[in-house]
Amino acid sequence: MSEYDVVIRNGTVATAADTMSCDIGVTDGVIATLGTHLGEGTREIDASGKLILPGGIDSHCHIEQRSSAGVICADDFYSATVAAAFGGTTTVIPFAAQHRGQSLRRVVEEYHEAADPKAVIDYAFHLIISDPTEQVMGQELPALIRDGYTSFKVYMTYDLLQLDDRQMLDILAVARREGALVMVHAENHDMIKWLAGRLLDHGLGAPRYHAVSHARLAEGEATNRAVVLSQLLDVPILLVHVSAAEAVEVIRNAQTRGLKIYGETCPQYLFLTADDIAKPGLEGAKFCCSPPPRDDAAQRAVWTGLRNGTFQVFSSDHAPYRYDASGKLPHGEKTTFKDIANGVPGIELRLPLLFSEGVQQGRLDLNAFVSLTSTNHAKLYGLYPKKGTIAVGSDADVAIWDPQRETTITAGILHDNVGYTPYEGRRLRGWPVTVISRGRIVVEDGKLAATRGSGAFLPCGLSQAARPAGVPVPELAFAAASGAALV
Ligand code: DUC
Ligand code: ZN
Ligand code: ZN
């Protein structure tokens, strides 16, 4: 009888901390041994010349989600998780999105009904809170946090999602009390609406004006406001999908001042610019997302932020919409920028893009790549060390990379249900060739080896990052001394 279920031999293993030559023995879905001269495995994998990295964790993706405008994502939990797996990702954390009037508990049940029979890799859920009623804030949310939904996204823009500052503070206060992590979509709603209205009044409805209306200052202002709200209550937050240099600077400054502010960015802010949105006709709709890709200087600021630790996580913000009336172009040729479904696909290419342009081009070392794409996600969202590393006792979630494999990106090689890719024609070096989730081979030799519904739900623990710094601002300290604990 074999000693292990799976043994991976002769590869180079990299974690967020180390790079080493060792073999991996897997038993019952868990890493049992790291070492050399391991006994036999029922399944033997030769990883000579390959890198063995923790499976990616994509902690920002939209799957089978209905937007506030009523448009459903092109990917369901099967196609999205298959695409993720082909791209080296073994855990996804999409959103259970509340629309106004809905019970948060019921929303979570519905997302489980969608995901449980379809996902091929493991998944957790963040919540989206758009209707912070007394019932939601007083009962549903605290109970859900205790059930393993320990992070939630709030929006400072979008007509039907936007929260005002007072509501934001209510949510931050609950997060502080319960130890949950708040993810913030930071753009100034009124600035965007004002700009969009004027542009449309002047007959400027082409996709490129999406980027004009979502001005970089709107992102910078809201990012600063979110930081200050978090500071007031001494509760950490994560700024998601950061695109503008102005926002990167605000986050960096806050971190320098010792505030617990975290940052996330995404492939579209490294590899696309507003010029893509300005492509002729409606072609630019394929690149419309919020906040939008900006310019070369913003790309440089985002790369710098990845290198110097301003950003802890690199996620896809996969928000898949087809280039037709079901998604990007609800009014066909007459669609203006304000009606284009926001979002770009990226769940499969997130890791290959960053590996090729980051690691292979010498911008990031391999360990930073692992931190940004896997380990830090697990730490931020309470999944570490079950997920996010290669260590004895961790789930055997690994991606075996051929670092030299060259691939030209076309929509046809991808596994999502979008029909186009914003990265068409790019040539990448490095690709995950074998992907393993809890010891199960999920992708091998370009083929899917996992079945629908074989992914498991992961209740999240509390984030270490979400602990308050413990230094209340003077006003809160004074209120407390006066007998009023405001948070
Ligand atoms: N913006 C979001 O806020 N969510 C989904 C995609 C997008 O572009
Ligand atoms: Zn967002
Ligand atoms: Zn998003």
Side-chain angles (χ1 to χ4, degrees):
M1 205 172 113
S2 305
E3 195 171 338
Y4 299 101
D5 298 334
V6 182
V7 175
I8 309 169
R9 297 186 197 274
N10 309 319
T12 300
V13 174
T15 66
D18 300 300
T19 305
M20 59 213 149
S21 294
C22 74
D23 303 335
I24 301 176
V26 177
T27 304
D28 293 335
V30 168
I31 296 173
T33 309
L34 296 174
T36 50
H37 309 294
L38 300 192
E40 207 181 305
T42 306
R43 174 71 208 265
E44 291 274 337
I45 298 175
D46 180 14
S48 303
K50 308 275 194 321
L51 296 172
I52 307 173
L53 309 184
I57 301 176
D58 193 345
S59 61
H60 187 156
C61 47
H62 303 267
I63 304 177
E64 229 172 309
Q65 186 182 319
R66 186 164 55 87
S67 76
S68 54
V71 184
I72 304 263
C73 288
D75 280 310
D76 67 7
F77 278 90
Y78 183 71
S79 60
T81 56
V82 168
F86 272 96
T89 289
T90 51
T91 299
V92 289
I93 316 183
F95 297 88
Q98 181 202 34
H99 293 291
R100 291 191 181 152
Q102 289 184 312
S103 144
L104 206 48
R105 174 63 76 177
R106 181 66 199 127
V107 166
V108 169
E109 286 166 2
E110 283 170 7
Y111 275 88
H112 273 288
E113 283 159 20
D116 299 356
K118 297 187 206 128
V120 303
I121 56 172
D122 294 352
Y123 56 95
F125 286 112
H126 313 288
L127 309 172
I128 286 176
I129 302 172
S130 66
D131 199 4
T133 59
E134 260 180 45
Q135 163 79 7
V136 166
M137 301 295 284
Q139 292 172 40
E140 293 189 332
L141 185 54
L144 284 164
I145 293 169
R146 285 170 206 147
D147 289 347
Y149 308 88
T150 57
S151 45
F152 29 90
K153 183 176 177 191
V154 294
Y155 286 81
M156 298 172 82
T157 187
Y158 289 121
D159 287 337
L160 297 175
L161 297 172
Q162 181 216 7
L163 303 181
D164 62 29
D165 292 353
R166 194 194 292 198
Q167 290 172 314
M168 293 268 294
L169 287 169
D170 284 341
I171 287 180
L172 290 171
V174 172
R176 185 185 203 277
R177 195 184 66 222
E178 303 289 338
L181 183 63
V182 180
M183 311 159 72
V184 183
H185 178 132
E187 290 186 282
N188 180 309
H189 188 61
D190 286 325
M191 283 168 80
I192 294 168
K193 292 289 282 188
W194 189 88
L195 287 164
R198 297 285 163 124
L199 289 162
L200 290 168
D201 285 349
H202 285 80
L204 301 174
R208 69 188 311 160
Y209 296 105
H210 170 77
V212 177
S213 64
H214 285 254
R216 61 198 69 196
L217 288 179
E219 188 184 347
E221 186 284 325
T223 302
N224 187 58
R225 187 153 35 98
V227 165
V228 174
L229 295 175
S230 128
Q231 185 181 10
L232 180 69
L233 299 195
D234 174 32
V235 57
I237 55 169
L238 168 70
L239 278 308
V240 294
H241 50 45
V242 174
S243 87
E246 288 78 356
V248 180
E249 191 184 341
V250 168
I251 295 167
R252 184 75 175 161
N253 285 343
Q255 291 166 344
T256 304
R257 285 183 285 128
L259 301 179
K260 281 208 172 182
I261 300 295
Y262 299 95
E264 173 204 76
T265 194
C266 315
Q268 47 272 37
Y269 308 124
L270 294 177
F271 305 114
L272 304 176
T273 68
D275 288 347
D276 291 299
I277 307 183
K279 288 198 167 140
L282 289 171
E283 183 76 11
K286 294 178 179 172
F287 306 87
C288 279
C289 56
S290 297
R294 304 203 183 266
D295 58 10
D296 292 348
Q299 287 186 345
R300 284 195 296 277
V302 172
W303 273 115
T304 301
L306 285 170
R307 276 201 300 272
N308 68 15
T310 306
F311 295 114
Q312 290 68 44
V313 282
F314 184 76
S315 309
S316 69
D317 196 8
H318 181 73
Y321 298 105
R322 294 183 67 83
Y323 185 62
D324 61 25
S326 73
K328 288 286 182 185
L329 307 175
H331 307 303
E333 290 298 304
K334 294 203 164 58
T335 303
T336 66
F337 70 83
K338 82 171 184 359
D339 301 311
I340 295 170
N342 275 210
V344 292
I347 204 163
E348 188 164 353
L349 291 178
R350 174 182 72 116
L351 301 181
L353 282 165
L354 192 69
F355 186 90
S356 185
E357 297 301 315
V359 179
Q360 295 291 31
Q361 297 295 330
R363 293 177 170 119
L364 293 173
D365 67 37
L366 194 53
N367 311 104
F369 174 83
V370 171
S371 301
L372 286 162
T373 57
S374 181
T375 313
N376 288 348
H377 301 249
K379 289 182 174 173
L380 267 183
Y381 297 113
L383 292 173
Y384 190 81
K386 179 178 171 65
K387 301 292 187 187
T389 192
I390 295 178
V392 172
S394 295
D395 281 358
D397 288 4
V398 299
I400 303 177
W401 286 68
D402 178 345
Q404 303 308 338
R405 178 183 289 195
E406 301 226 346
T407 307
T408 302
I409 302 307
T410 62
I413 66 166
L414 301 178
H415 298 82
D416 61 28
N417 191 29
V418 180
Y420 72 87
T421 167
Y423 310 104
E424 183 76 29
R426 270 185 184 265
R427 199 152 174 75
L428 303 183
R429 189 152 61 92
W431 201 265
V433 288
T434 304
V435 179
I436 298 175
S437 155
R438 279 182 286 110
R440 304 170 301 135
I441 313 283
V442 176
V443 171
E444 189 172 37
D445 296 331
K447 292 194 188 66
L448 183 71
T451 53
R452 276 175 179 265
S454 57
F457 170 65
L458 300 163
C460 291
L462 294 181
S463 168
Q464 289 174 14
R467 284 189 200 130
V471 193
V473 293
E475 290 82 356
L476 284 195
F478 186 78
S482 312
L486 300 189
V487 285

